[in-house]
Amino acid sequence: MKNKIIIKYYSLDAFLKILYENNIEAESIVLLDDFHICLYVDDKDLKKIRKLNIKYKKEKESYLQKFMHVFSKEKILIFSLIISIFYFISLKRKIANVYVYGPSSQINENIKKDLKNEGICKDYPLKSIDELTLIQKKYLIIYQDSLSTFSLSLKGNNVYVNYVVKPKPIVIESLHGKMFSKYDAIIKNIKISSGNVLVKVNQFVRKGELIVDDVIMHKDNVTHLGTKGKIFGYVYFEITKTSPINNDVLDAFSSNLLDARYEILKDLEEEEELLEEKILINDFSNNINTLKMSFLVIKNLVSF
């Protein structure tokens, strides 16, 4: 440990000669005025100065002075330490690994490849919780046909993916009663194997309108047929979503867009399809993103 001392002596040159003759090592020698000299010596050399009966005053250094003094002597060590700290911090901000848990090895590999395109891969920069939430919403839509659940979670520097495969339904359709339209729609196609169909392709129908009857009249005779099958039509939806703008307007817009799409796509059945989407309003006033969208969807119109 170096000691900072103030020497009272009549001449700097004469004092330097004394240091040389007595083999005293000193650092950072500064002439303060005509009679005072500031220097740093270790404990061994301080004892030598004391034996020479030279008047001195030992000064207590501030933490900053101590640091600067050590820094001047140990630059390489300190720079190495700083580099090590930054390297450690960079490691903490990288993804350590991505674990995908699910019953299908093929789906596991597909998910890993898709997530790599999203920047979720070993040694890639760590995503925030908000970013992972947006990606989760996106992939709930992408995998809606094959998966019933899809979740992303962060534990430490590891990303965990869990999913459940959507079971394939076994449908044995029985005869039903009267069929009504669930929506205002234009008929696209008719797939009825039993029943008295009351509509035709390209016809506009109102929500609640009877579209397939379960009976047929013939010369005052009523025959009960029952109904079976589906009728598909073009259905128009408008959905409005709002989200606060916390950090980035693009994040708020992306969140609203994914939420709107998810609301449409989450309940799509077999043979149903999203045909078209349009942005009607995209407003960013009052620190809130308001997104209004329209969707044209092919839907099964049948309700009982």
Side-chain angles (χ1 to χ4, degrees):
M1 177 66 185
K2 296 293 183 180
N3 303 284
K4 180 184 180 182
I5 61 174
I6 306 296
I7 297 289
K8 186 176 181 181
Y9 212 76
Y10 68 91
S11 168
L12 176 61
D13 291 337
F15 179 69
L16 292 175
K17 184 179 179 181
I18 290 174
L19 294 180
Y20 177 74
E21 290 174 346
N22 290 276
N23 195 27
I24 297 173
E25 295 183 3
E27 299 176 2
S28 305
I29 302 172
V30 178
L31 182 63
L32 301 178
D33 55 35
D34 291 340
F35 299 102
H36 293 88
I37 305 163
C38 177
L39 66 153
Y40 289 85
V41 293
D42 61 21
D43 292 337
K44 179 184 69 173
D45 289 314
L46 183 59
K47 289 179 181 179
K48 293 179 181 179
I49 292 174
R50 191 179 298 126
K51 288 180 181 179
L52 294 172
N53 292 320
I54 298 174
K55 291 185 177 181
Y56 71 88
K57 179 183 177 182
K58 186 175 179 181
E59 286 201 351
K60 187 176 180 181
E61 295 182 277
S62 68
Y63 289 114
L64 178 60
Q65 288 173 321
K66 289 180 180 178
F67 173 77
M68 295 304 296
H69 187 67
V70 172
F71 183 76
S72 65
K73 293 293 294 179
E74 305 292 347
K75 288 181 181 178
I76 295 177
L77 177 62
I78 291 174
F79 276 123
S80 300
L81 180 62
I82 291 172
I83 291 171
S84 299
I85 291 171
F86 277 109
Y87 178 70
F88 177 74
I89 291 172
S90 69
L91 285 179
K92 291 289 286 182
R93 294 185 59 81
K94 287 185 178 180
I95 296 173
N97 219 326
V98 178
Y99 298 98
V100 181
Y101 295 104
S104 169
S105 58
Q106 183 60 55
I107 293 177
N108 292 355
E109 289 303 313
N110 291 340
I111 289 174
K112 283 188 175 181
K113 289 178 183 177
D114 289 341
L115 290 179
K116 187 174 182 180
N117 294 331
E118 299 287 346
I120 299 178
C121 186
K122 183 178 179 180
D123 294 331
Y124 279 42
L126 201 61
K127 299 285 187 183
S128 68
I129 297 298
D130 289 341
E131 289 174 313
L132 289 178
T133 300
L134 282 175
I135 293 170
Q136 177 177 297
K137 289 179 181 178
K138 177 179 179 180
Y139 280 86
L140 277 170
I141 295 171
I142 291 175
Y143 294 115
Q144 60 168 314
D145 292 334
S146 56
L147 306 181
S148 57
T149 64
F150 180 91
S151 67
L152 287 171
S153 59
L154 188 63
K155 295 180 181 178
N157 283 35
N158 295 313
V159 177
Y160 293 86
V161 183
N162 288 276
Y163 68 87
V164 176
V165 176
K166 185 179 289 185
K168 294 183 178 180
I170 301 175
V171 180
I172 302 175
E173 188 177 2
S174 58
L175 292 174
H176 302 282
K178 301 179 187 297
M179 292 181 172
F180 301 89
S181 178
K182 287 192 285 188
Y183 312 99
D184 291 348
I186 295 176
I187 304 296
K188 178 183 183 291
N189 54 19
I190 299 170
K191 297 183 176 182
I192 297 296
S193 57
S194 178
N196 179 18
V197 179
L198 304 178
V199 294
K200 56 186 178 181
V201 173
N202 294 327
Q203 179 179 337
F204 176 77
V205 294
R206 290 285 186 185
K207 180 179 179 179
E209 182 177 336
L210 180 64
I211 52 178
V212 180
D213 205 345
D214 59 344
V215 299
I216 188 170
M217 298 284 296
H218 180 69
K219 295 181 179 179
D220 296 330
N221 293 321
V222 178
T223 302
H224 289 272
L225 304 172
T227 60
K228 184 189 295 186
K230 297 179 180 180
I231 294 181
F232 293 91
Y234 299 100
V235 184
Y236 178 84
F237 295 95
E238 284 188 0
I239 294 177
T240 301
K241 294 290 180 180
T242 60
S243 181
I245 303 170
N246 294 321
N247 298 313
D248 192 332
V249 294
L250 184 58
D251 286 346
F253 169 77
S254 298
S255 178
N256 282 334
L257 180 62
L258 289 174
D259 283 349
R261 285 176 176 167
Y262 180 67
E263 190 167 324
I264 290 294
L265 296 174
K266 66 179 179 178
D267 296 323
L268 283 190
E269 301 174 2
E270 187 178 359
E271 297 182 81
E272 295 184 338
E273 180 183 357
L274 172 61
L275 295 180
E276 183 181 281
E277 64 179 32
K278 289 182 181 179
I279 296 175
L280 304 178
I281 297 173
N282 188 23
D283 181 70
F284 292 95
S285 59
N286 299 321
N287 208 37
I288 293 176
N289 175 232
T290 300
L291 182 66
K292 183 177 182 180
M293 298 190 65
S294 67
F295 297 91
L296 183 62
V297 188
I298 297 174
K299 296 284 289 181
N300 176 23
L301 306 181
V302 171
S303 66
F304 302 101

